[in-house]
Amino acid sequence: MSGREPLLQRSGVKKVEENRLPPNQVLTPKWPVLTHGEIPEVNLDTWRLHGWGRVRNDRAWTWEEFRSLPQVEVVSDIHCVTRWSRYDNRWRGVASREILERVQPLPEVRFVMVHAHGGYCANLPLEQFVAEDILFAHEHDGKPLAREHGGPCRMVVPQLYFWKSVKWVVGLEFLSVERAGFWEQYGYHMRGNPWAEERFQGR
Ligand SMILES: Nc1nc2c(c(=O)[nH]1)N[C@H]1C(S)=C(S)[C@@H](COP(=O)(O)O)O[C@H]1N2
Ligand SMILES: [Mo]
């Protein structure tokens, strides 16, 4: 274990060291960039984080409003389905729970579709979306999140393969019936748990 004092919230996922690296993953100190298509240039003046669908309060936050929500720091690990993992990423941003409390999903909501600027999206169950280490991050290791890594704002979902961590996040659609996201439509797994190696559908 590192000698760092636990000032920050540690992701609750897999604290046990011997089980920390999911099966068939390789640890890298680098941080590869994986993007389908162009890296967008997001304008902060027109940026919105919009929550809609089966909710009591359909609402959108401007960048200023988003930045004035309570902020958290979480240290968590990245596991990409292409088999690289990167430990101890320090994220700063807004916890998913802050958004949920304000949007108030209706009782029938069971899934969330997370939407990016440009059309990319990924689906996950609501029960996973509420985990306390999930956040809308705008800083990584003390610096503003780089554009190629999803800046100004991306989701971080440590307990799932990293394709579920949508870069350039702009929307949350609350659903009672699940739909497949971008990679899920091409055969990636609907769940994506790295410890169960849920990489592709049908295995
Ligand atoms: N908007 C958007 N988000 C995205 C992607 C993408 O192409 N577009 N790629 C996903 C995939 S497959 C991975 S592995 C991670 C890569 O994040 P990184 O480039 O910061 O390492 O972002 C995920 N989020
Ligand atoms: Mo990926």
Side-chain angles (χ1 to χ4, degrees), residues 34 80-82 84 120 162-163 183 188:
L34 281 103
C80 177
V81 72
T82 61
W84 59 270
Y120 184 93
F162 210 35
W163 88 77
W183 282 120
Y188 280 40

Side-chain angles (χ1 to χ4, degrees), residues 19-126:
N19 201 14
R20 186 170 176 185
L21 192 66
N24 298 306
Q25 294 292 113
V26 177
L27 207 52
T28 171
K30 288 179 283 187
W31 190 8
V33 174
L34 281 103
T35 301
H36 185 269
E38 301 274 292
I39 293 172
E41 186 135 25
V42 177
N43 180 349
L44 291 185
D45 295 334
T46 53
W47 184 90
R48 296 286 184 278
L49 181 61
H50 184 192
W52 80 94
R54 309 199 64 84
V55 297
R56 194 163 301 146
N57 301 320
D58 180 311
R59 63 161 300 181
W61 287 264
T62 65
W63 183 251
E64 242 170 56
E65 290 166 342
F66 170 76
R67 293 300 301 267
S68 65
L69 291 170
Q71 305 284 310
V72 290
E73 285 198 353
V74 177
V75 176
S76 63
D77 300 341
I78 295 172
H79 306 297
C80 177
V81 72
T82 61
R83 300 183 189 274
W84 59 270
S85 291
R86 186 180 191 276
Y87 284 168
D88 290 327
N89 299 272
R90 178 171 161 172
W91 306 100
R92 182 178 170 81
V94 174
S96 60
R97 287 172 174 212
E98 300 289 347
I99 303 297
L100 279 177
E101 272 171 27
R102 290 163 174 83
V103 171
Q104 294 187 30
L106 294 172
E108 67 267 28
V109 170
R110 292 192 48 226
F111 302 97
V112 185
M113 184 71 89
V114 184
H115 293 271
H117 182 95
Y120 184 93
C121 57
N123 56 291
L124 67 159
L126 181 68

Side-chain angles (χ1 to χ4, degrees), residues 13-23 77 79 87 194-196:
V13 180
K14 299 298 171 195
K15 283 182 199 145
V16 183
E17 202 71 17
E18 61 265 31
N19 201 14
R20 186 170 176 185
L21 192 66
D77 300 341
H79 306 297
Y87 284 168
W195 286 274

